[in-house]
Amino acid sequence: KNEVEQSPQNLTAQEGEFITINCSYSVGISALHWLQQHPGGGIVSLFMLSSGKKKHGRLIATINIQEKHSSLHITASHPRDSAVYICAVNINSGGSNYKLTFGKGTLLTVNP
Amino acid sequence: DGGITQSPKYLFRKEGQNVTLSCEQNLNHDAMYWYRQDPGQGLRLIYYSQIVNDFQKGDIAEGYSVSREKKESFPLTVTSAQKNPTAFYLCATSRGSQETQYFGPGTRLLVL
């Protein structure tokens, strides 16, 4: 079983819809990251969070440490949001931890 | 123009050949990473470096080698011992551990 699981694997939405992508993890973590990968392959970091909620524009990321779960929300979705969204975690190893463990990603397609 | 550059964008390897992928950064980040991405799988860590002249193996280091002689540069050599090298290779940097990672545009390696 993967330490980081994302759902759904694929998501198709109509422009304007509210979108939620979920990430569950099975280990103790020190931080969780949400990344975006566009069709060309480049990856952009969207959020890094260890508690609570963060918002940037139409994107909102939340994390529940007790439930080992995080969600990425996109409000008023747009075709340019079409990308693979990746969840990754720094596993809590008790010291400095450079390594990220990644989920397999969620492919989001937003149709006009 | 700041950021991370990877070259070449596409690279072809013949059987038994070693090839080197370049990663250069001008973000003044201490940590650098190499990841491999295969279809349907999450990113996997090959090697990482916390600081100049130091590097550690990641989860899939066999068949790869790295060096970190300069802060700006972290080249990855795919040796002939790597039997399945076809993949998308991504370089990333961060200021330190458990920090946001910034990704380069990637190199696609294909075996002839």
Side-chain angles (χ1 to χ4, degrees):
Chain A
K1 186 180 187 298
N2 293 332
E3 291 167 316
V4 179
E5 297 278 358
Q6 289 185 234
S7 64
Q9 282 186 296
N10 295 281
L11 180 58
T12 300
Q14 288 300 122
E15 184 172 355
E17 286 185 1
F18 180 84
I19 289 163
T20 296
I21 299 170
N22 297 298
C23 176
S24 297
Y25 50 92
S26 56
V27 294
I29 69 168
S30 53
L32 183 142
H33 305 250
W34 281 103
L35 310 168
Q36 181 192 55
Q37 185 171 31
H38 277 285
I43 293 178
V44 174
S45 179
L46 299 174
F47 296 102
M48 185 181 78
L49 63 167
S50 54
S51 65
K53 175 178 171 179
K54 287 190 176 181
K55 184 176 189 292
H56 185 259
R58 295 180 294 106
L59 302 178
I60 303 165
T62 64
I63 187 168
N64 184 318
I65 297 294
Q66 287 73 29
E67 295 186 3
K68 291 186 167 61
H69 181 268
S70 175
S71 293
L72 176 68
H73 305 288
I74 304 176
T75 62
S77 59
H78 190 275
R80 65 175 175 267
D81 297 324
S82 298
V84 175
Y85 292 84
I86 301 169
C87 174
V89 300
N90 292 101
I91 294 176
N92 193 350
S93 62
S96 65
N97 187 355
Y98 288 79
K99 293 172 61 174
L100 286 177
T101 299
F102 294 82
K104 293 184 179 181
T106 295
L107 174 61
L108 171 66
T109 304
V110 181
N111 294 317
Chain B
D1 195 29
I4 303 164
T5 56
Q6 289 187 242
S7 61
K9 188 172 182 179
Y10 295 95
L11 185 58
F12 300 92
R13 194 191 92 164
K14 295 180 182 178
E15 292 287 339
Q17 187 180 41
N18 292 353
V19 292
T20 297
L21 284 61
S22 168
C23 178
E24 302 281 331
Q25 56 112 348
N26 62 5
L27 301 172
N28 200 33
H29 286 174
D30 283 321
M32 298 186 75
Y33 311 79
W34 274 107
Y35 294 99
R36 170 179 171 142
Q37 188 176 40
D38 295 280
Q41 294 198 39
L43 277 77
R44 292 181 290 168
L45 181 65
I46 304 172
Y47 269 98
Y48 68 102
S49 168
Q50 300 178 29
I51 201 164
V52 175
N53 294 321
D54 178 71
F55 51 83
Q56 285 80 40
K57 293 181 179 180
D59 299 318
I60 54 165
E62 186 175 348
Y64 300 96
S65 66
V66 293
S67 62
R68 186 87 187 275
E69 297 176 1
K70 298 186 300 181
K71 188 174 187 177
E72 301 79 17
S73 179
F74 190 41
L76 173 74
T77 296
V78 184
T79 74
S80 57
Q82 173 48 245
K83 297 306 178 189
N84 185 22
T86 296
F88 186 50
Y89 291 86
L90 287 151
C91 176
T93 72
S94 68
R95 290 186 187 88
S97 69
Q98 298 172 162
E99 297 264 4
T100 296
Q101 292 191 15
Y102 297 83
F103 288 80
T107 293
R108 292 195 185 276
L109 176 61
L110 299 167
V111 176
L112 294 177

